[in-house]
C-alpha cells in the first residue's frame, strides 16, 4: 500500500476505533513458538507488516504459520523446523530488527543461525552489540560476513551471567529466548521490565520455562530440556493507543480506543492529564478527549519502563505544539529521535533541539554530539505541507500534524506507518478524518 495520502486538516478526530495486540510483543511471541515441540496459538494479533515479515521468516525456517487475519489468531506449528537458505533470509535484510531474536531459538533447534543486515526505524545507530555479546556469553560462535552474521553453537548453549550496560528491551528478550533452553542457570542483571517483556515471560512460563524477576531488575532463568507450545492472548498495543490519544488532543477531538488497557499506560495517562487531556477508563477501553480551552506545557523525560516510553514521545510532541508556553522534552532512550521535528517546523511549529540534557538528570547522551533535547513553544497554528514519512512513530506524528493543520497536506511513504499501525486508513475514516489515498504523481 504505497501512494499519496491527501489529508485535509483542521477537523477534530471523533469516533471509536479498536487497538489489538502489541507489535512489540506479538513479534517476539511468534519467535518464542520456535522453541516449542508442539504448536502455539496466539490471539489478538494485529494485521501489520512486522507480523507478516516475522511470519514469512518463520515459514522460511519450516514453521507452518496460519494467520486468521479477521479473528486475529495465529497458529504456529514448529514441528519441522529447518535451516533456511541464506539468500532467502537475506531478502528480508533491512525490513525488521526481529531476525536477531531468532538466533537463540535456532541455535537450540538447529545448532546454527544466519541473520541478515537489520532494519527497523532510522532513529539512531541501533547497534546489536549487546545481542552478539549475549550470544557469545552463552557459547555461540559469531562470524560477521559481508551479507550478515553466521552463528553456530558447536558445544551447545550454556547458562551464564549477563550484566546489561543499559536495560535494553531487545537484549533482555535475547537473553530470555536463549536462556530458557540453555544448560543450567542464567542471571541477567539490569534487565528491561517493559510490560511486553512480562508478557513474553508469561508465554515462556506457559511453555515450561522457569523464570523469576526480582525487584532490582535481575532476572533468573533455569534452563529446561524441553518446551511445549503455548496458548496466549497478546496484551494491547499501548504505543498505538497513546498515538491515537495524542491525535485526539492535537486535533481537539474525542476518541474512544477500544482495547486500550490502563495498567500499562499509567505513565502516559498521568502526562496526558498534566497537558490538559481528559480520559475515561472504561471496561472495553479508554476514551481520550480535549476538554476545550488551553493545553498546558510540560517537562517530560522519556525512559525505560515504568518511565514515559520513547515511542509515545513523537505523537505527544505534536500536541505540545498546541500547548500555551514552553515544553521541554528530554529523550534518553535513543540518541536521534527528534529528526521528525524538521517537518513540524516546516508546518509552523516552534521547536528547538539541543545537545544538552534539558529538564532532568543527565543521560548517557549528554555532552556528546546528539540533539536529544527539545524545547517546544506554543501554541502555534500548523499549516499544511508535503510530507515524506521518515520512520514509524515520526511518520504517525506527521500524520497527526497534518490532521491538526489548516489546509491540505500530501503525505508520501505511508507504507512505513503500516509496519506498526493496523488499518490506520480505516481508523482515520472511522474518526471522520478527511484523508484519501491516491496514486503517486
Ligand atoms: N542498544 C545498544 N546495543 C544493542 C541494543 C540496544 O546500544 O545491542 C541501545 C539502543 O541503541 C537504544 C537503547 O539501547 O539506544 C535501547 O534499545 P532497546 O534494545 O531497548 O530497543 P529495541 O529492543 O531495539 C524495542 C522496540 C522499540 C522501542 C524500544 C524501547 C521492538 C521491535 N522495538 O526496540 O520500538 O522503542 O524497544 O522501548 O520491540 C517502535 O515500535 O517504533 C520501536 C522503535
Amino acid at each position: 500500500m504505497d501512494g499519496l495520502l491527501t489529508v485535509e486538516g483542521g477537523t477534530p478526530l471523533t469516533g471509536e476505533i479498536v487497538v489489538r495486540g502489541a507489535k512489540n510483543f506479538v513479534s517476539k511471541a511468534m519467535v518464542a513458538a520456535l522453541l516449542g515441540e508442539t504448536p502455539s496459538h496466539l490471539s489478538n494479533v494485529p494485521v501489520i507488516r512486522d507480523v507478516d515479515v516475522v511470519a514469512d521468516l518463520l515459514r522460511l525456517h519450516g514453521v507452518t504459520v496460519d494467520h486468521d487475519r479477521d479473528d486475529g489468531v495465529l497458529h504456529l506449528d514448529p514441528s519441522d523446523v529447518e535451516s533456511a537458505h541464506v539468500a532467502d533470509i537475506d531478502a528480508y535484510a533491512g525490513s525488521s530488527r526481529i531476525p536477531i531474536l531468532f538466533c537463540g531459538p535456532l541455535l537450540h533447534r538447529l545448532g546454527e543461525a544466519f541473520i541478515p543486515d537489520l532494519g527497523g526505524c532510522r532513529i539512531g545507530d541501533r547497534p546489536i552489540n549487546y545481542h552478539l555479546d549475549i550470544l557469545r556469553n552463552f557459547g555461540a560462535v559469531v562470524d560477521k560476513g559481508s551479507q550478515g552474521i553466521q552463528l553456530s553453537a558447536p558445544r551447545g548453549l550454556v547458562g551464564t551471567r549477563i550484566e546489561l550496560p543499559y536495560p535494553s528491551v531487545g537484549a533482555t528478550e535475547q537473553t530470555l529466548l536463549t536462556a530458557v533452553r540453555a544448560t543450567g542457570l542464567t542471571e541477567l542483571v539490569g534487565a528491561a521490565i517493559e510490560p511486553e517483556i512480562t508478557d513474553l515471560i508469561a508465554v515462556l512460563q506457559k511453555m515450561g520455562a522457569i523464570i523469576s524477576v526480582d525487584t532490582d531488575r535481575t532476572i533468573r532463568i533455569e534452563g529446561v530440556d524441553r518446551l511445549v507450545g503455548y496458548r496466549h492472548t497478546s496484551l494491547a498495543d499501548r504505543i498505538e493507543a497513546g498515538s491515537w490519544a495524542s491525535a485526539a488532543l492535537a486535533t481537539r477531538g474525542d476518541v474512544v480506543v477500544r482495547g486500550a488497557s490502563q495498567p500499562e499506560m499509567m505513565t502516559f495517562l498521568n502526562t496526558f492529564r498534566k497537558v490538559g487531556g481528559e480520559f475515561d477508563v472504561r471496561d472495553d477501553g479508554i476514551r481520550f478527549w480535549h476538554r476545550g480551552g488551553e493545553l498546558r506545557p510540560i517537562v517530560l523525560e522519556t525512559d525505560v519502563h515504568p518511565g514515559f516510553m520513547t515511542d509515545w514521545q513523537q505523537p505527544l510532541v505534536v500536541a505540545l505544539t498546541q500547548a500555551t508556553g514552553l515544553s521541554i522534552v528530554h529523550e534518553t532512550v535513543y540518541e536521534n529521535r527528534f529528526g521528525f521535528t524538521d517537518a513540524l517546523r516546516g508546518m509552523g511549529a516552534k521547536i528547538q533541539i539541543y545537545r544538552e540534557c534539558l529538564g532532568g538528570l543527565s543521560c548517557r547522551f549528554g555532552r556528546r554530539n546528539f540533539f536529544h533535547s527539545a524545547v517546544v513553544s506554543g501554541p502555534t497554528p500548523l499549516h499544511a505541507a508535503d510530507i515524506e514519512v521518515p520512520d514509524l512513530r515520526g511518520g504517525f506524528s506527521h500524520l497527526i500534524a497534518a490532521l491538526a493543520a489548516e489546509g491540505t497536506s500530501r503525505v508520501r511513504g505511508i507504507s512505513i506507518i503500516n509496519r506498526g499501525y493496523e488499518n490506520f486508513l480505516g481508523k482515520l475514516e472511522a474518526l471522520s478524518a478527511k484523508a484519501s489515498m491516491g496514486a503517486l504523481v
Side-chain angles (χ1 to χ4, degrees), residues 23-25 27-28 50 96-98 101 121 123-132 166-173 192 194 196 238-239 303-304 309-311 332-335 337 364-365 391-393 419-420:
K23 163 179 97 66
N24 291 345
F25 163 74
S27 44
K28 327 296 171 62
D50 270 20
S96 164
R97 280 176 64 80
I98 306 298
L101 296 176
C121 286
I123 50 178
D125 270 351
R126 301 199 73 185
I128 53 169
N129 53 327
Y130 300 165
H131 295 258
L132 298 181
Y166 183 79
S168 149
V169 169
T172 301
E173 293 160 343
E194 267 57 11
E196 292 76 16
R238 61 195 174 117
I239 306 177
D303 209 341
V304 294
M309 287 188 93
T310 170
D311 304 282
T332 76
V333 179
Y334 293 111
E335 71 274 26
R337 225 176 186 186
R364 65 210 160 106
F365 307 134
D391 61 60
L392 180 59
R393 308 299 169 196
R419 266 193 53 212

Side-chain angles (χ1 to χ4, degrees), residues 6-12 251 384 399-409 433-435:
T6 305
V7 179
E8 207 187 308
T11 311
T251 62
L399 198 70
I400 298 177
L403 290 162
E406 284 302 325
T408 305
S409 295
K434 294 184 184 145

Side-chain angles (χ1 to χ4, degrees), residues 146-157:
S146 55
Q147 280 193 312
I149 301 169
Q150 187 76 46
L151 296 106
S152 58
R155 282 182 288 277
L157 298 174

Side-chain angles (χ1 to χ4, degrees), residues 245 248-250 252-253 268-279 288-298 316 319-320 322-324 327:
L249 202 54
R252 306 180 77 83
F268 178 86
L269 295 173
N270 286 336
T271 304
F272 192 78
R273 182 169 274 160
K274 281 198 247 176
V275 177
E278 295 276 358
F279 61 87
F288 300 93
W289 73 99
H290 188 302
R291 65 163 166 241
E294 293 184 347
L295 295 181
R296 292 186 289 265
I298 50 163
L316 191 73
L320 292 178
Q322 303 309 305
T324 306
S327 292

Side-chain angles (χ1 to χ4, degrees), residues 200-329:
L200 181 64
I201 292 174
V203 158
L204 292 169
Q205 187 180 51
K206 286 178 178 178
M207 297 177 79
I210 302 171
I211 302 169
S212 63
V213 184
D214 287 355
T215 47
D216 63 351
R217 291 187 178 274
T218 300
I219 298 182
R220 288 189 183 79
I221 306 120
E222 292 181 34
V224 294
D225 289 340
R226 69 181 285 266
L227 294 169
V228 293
Y230 63 84
R231 189 173 280 277
H232 193 78
T233 301
S234 169
L235 79 170
D237 197 311
R238 61 195 174 117
I239 306 177
E240 187 181 358
S243 301
W244 289 112
S246 293
L249 202 54
T251 62
R252 306 180 77 83
D254 188 337
V255 174
V256 175
V257 183
R258 278 177 42 218
S261 160
Q262 181 188 20
E264 300 82 29
M265 294 192 71
M266 292 221 167
T267 309
F268 178 86
L269 295 173
N270 286 336
T271 304
F272 192 78
R273 182 169 274 160
K274 281 198 247 176
V275 177
E278 295 276 358
F279 61 87
D280 178 33
V281 179
R282 313 179 345 174
D283 286 347
D284 63 345
I286 306 178
R287 175 183 163 212
F288 300 93
W289 73 99
H290 188 302
R291 65 163 166 241
E294 293 184 347
L295 295 181
R296 292 186 289 265
I298 50 163
V299 176
L300 179 68
E301 192 160 53
T302 66
D303 209 341
V304 294
H305 191 74
F308 190 93
M309 287 188 93
T310 170
D311 304 282
W312 286 325
Q313 179 258 104
Q314 297 95 326
L316 191 73
V317 162
V318 181
L320 292 178
T321 67
Q322 303 309 305
T324 306
L326 289 183
S327 292
I328 298 172
V329 184

